[in-house]
Amino acid sequence: EVLLVESGGGLVQPGGSLRLSCAASGFSFRSFGMHWVRQAPGKGLEWTSYVTESGSTTYYADSVKGRFTISRDNAKNSLNLQMNSLRADDTAVYFCVRGGTEGHWGQGTLVIVSS
Amino acid sequence: EIVMTQSPATLSVSPGERATLSCRASQSIGTKLFWYQQIPGQSPRLLIYDASTRATGIPARFSGSGSGTEFSLTISSLQSEDFAVYHCQQYNDWPRTFGQGTKVDIK
């Protein structure tokens, strides 16, 4: 069974940093690109970032470019999202999503940016 | 950036009735479109990929159609568990983009 478990969310002040992680199991992690998708409270889904299977190439939404960094550790089956210069509008549930057409999502981790 | 526009924002339907949701892309995306269902408090569930292919385990009452810039999701006979929010997403180009969602509620 494919399992994606996010962690690292919490309350952080504006301008602060947070590092999210996603532990993957049940599949060959190194064979799939991975995404982070977020959802602000009561709002729609927003794609934020993607990393290729090897980690060599990344893509970002304009809203997070220059502030967020997606990375992966294939030896540890782990996906990460380093979030810097956080703003109130980054408040959201952050989902880890496996690439491809099988639709595997984690349960999400909540990030609240507030003073 | 490709802008995805879903309509209507809310669709009120009686159980057993047919529901048709629309998704429009600001430029052609071929058939690189996902449809997701999301029940409040849960992660999205993939229904359709490649615009018209049902994902594993998805009932036949869900069908997707369209190509280019115009797409639709049809639920042939709404069941109680189908009242939810539906999202479309294009994966033809970067950045990946979602529509704003359509809420299907009980009439």
Side-chain angles (χ1 to χ4, degrees), chain A residues 35 37 39 43-47 49-50 59-62 95 97 100-103 105-108, chain B residues 1 34 36 38 42-46 49-50 55-56 87 89 91 94-101:
Chain A
H35 303 264
V37 174
Q39 186 169 37
K43 302 297 184 182
L45 299 169
E46 181 186 15
W47 175 86
S49 53
Y50 174 82
Y59 298 91
Y60 296 94
D62 286 346
F95 296 99
V97 184
T101 58
E102 294 183 2
W105 292 57
Q107 85 291 346
Chain B
E1 163 175 322
F34 291 132
Y36 292 98
Q38 189 178 26
Q42 296 186 14
S43 302
R45 172 196 184 196
L46 181 66
Y49 64 93
D50 289 347
T56 303
H87 308 273
Q89 182 202 9
Y91 53 101
W94 303 101
R96 304 300 196 229
T97 44
F98 288 89
Q100 77 279 21

Side-chain angles (χ1 to χ4, degrees), chain B residues 6 10 15 17 23 28 32 50 52 55 68 72 83 93 96 98 104:
Chain B
Q6 291 186 242
T10 303
E17 287 188 342
C23 177
S28 178
K32 299 298 186 185
D50 289 347
S52 61
S72 62
F83 292 97
D93 200 4
R96 304 300 196 229
F98 288 89
V104 177

